[in-house]
Amino acid sequence: MTSDAAQPDPPQPDSSQSATAQPGSPLTSEEQDEQVLALARRMLDDAREGRGDALLPLLDQGAPVAMRDSRGNTLLMLAAYHGHADLVRELAARGADVDQLNDRQQSPLAGAVFKGYDDVVSALLDAGADPDAGTPSGRDSVAFFGREEMGRLIEEKAPRA
């Protein structure tokens, strides 16, 4: 079935953002790809560095909260692994999967336990993280690294069934 209604033209990228594009000329497909990849790298770096002021507005404008790097680490995984509890909370509030495993089957919670970030562990548990997800799981990491305080926190917020 076809529609006789006129379809709007897709928005054209701003050609002023490319050093190689002539004023008023559209970006080439390669230039567009380059800009998208640069933005994705910047967003992943923002998560790693805890720059929520730069990252969160992009997500609020429609950038994917489930974006992953080449190793399968999500924005939330990078924020958690690098100790940014406030950003972890904000990403979870925007729909980030707190149990999304990376390519090595590691969970954000296990990463936060490994690094010793109590505040990140708490933020993940508050957002519903499963302490048994991943290999090793958050609980396994507690035992392996001897993080008894974190173990108590896990049992308090997510007791075994």
Side-chain angles (χ1 to χ4, degrees), residues 12-18 20-21 25-29 31-32 35:
Q12 295 297 312
D14 180 1
S15 61
S16 67
Q17 295 179 7
S18 171
T20 60
S25 67
L27 295 176
T28 67
S29 177
E31 291 168 332
Q32 289 175 358
Q35 286 186 355

Side-chain angles (χ1 to χ4, degrees), residues 15-140:
S15 61
S16 67
Q17 295 179 7
S18 171
T20 60
Q22 296 298 318
S25 67
L27 295 176
T28 67
S29 177
E30 287 176 10
E31 291 168 332
Q32 289 175 358
D33 290 349
E34 212 172 280
Q35 286 186 355
V36 168
L37 289 173
L39 177 61
R41 282 190 294 272
R42 190 167 61 241
M43 290 175 67
L44 292 162
D45 286 344
D46 288 343
R48 193 177 291 108
E49 298 297 323
R51 293 188 296 254
D53 58 332
L55 177 61
L56 298 174
L58 295 170
L59 298 175
D60 293 341
Q61 293 173 29
V65 73
M67 179 186 303
R68 297 168 67 139
D69 69 11
S70 62
R71 294 183 178 112
N73 296 307
T74 62
L75 298 169
L76 186 135
M77 172 70 90
L78 293 170
Y81 192 77
H82 292 280
H84 306 296
D86 290 337
L87 185 53
V88 166
R89 284 184 198 87
E90 291 294 333
L91 292 168
R94 285 165 173 78
D97 183 349
V98 295
D99 291 324
Q100 179 66 53
L101 306 180
N102 65 14
D103 291 351
R104 296 180 66 191
Q105 302 306 300
Q106 299 164 327
S107 72
L109 183 61
V113 169
F114 166 71
K115 295 290 283 209
Y117 297 132
D118 293 345
D119 55 344
V120 174
V121 168
S122 184
L124 288 165
L125 292 169
D126 288 345
D130 178 358
D132 297 310
T135 306
S137 70
R139 287 188 213 275
D140 294 338

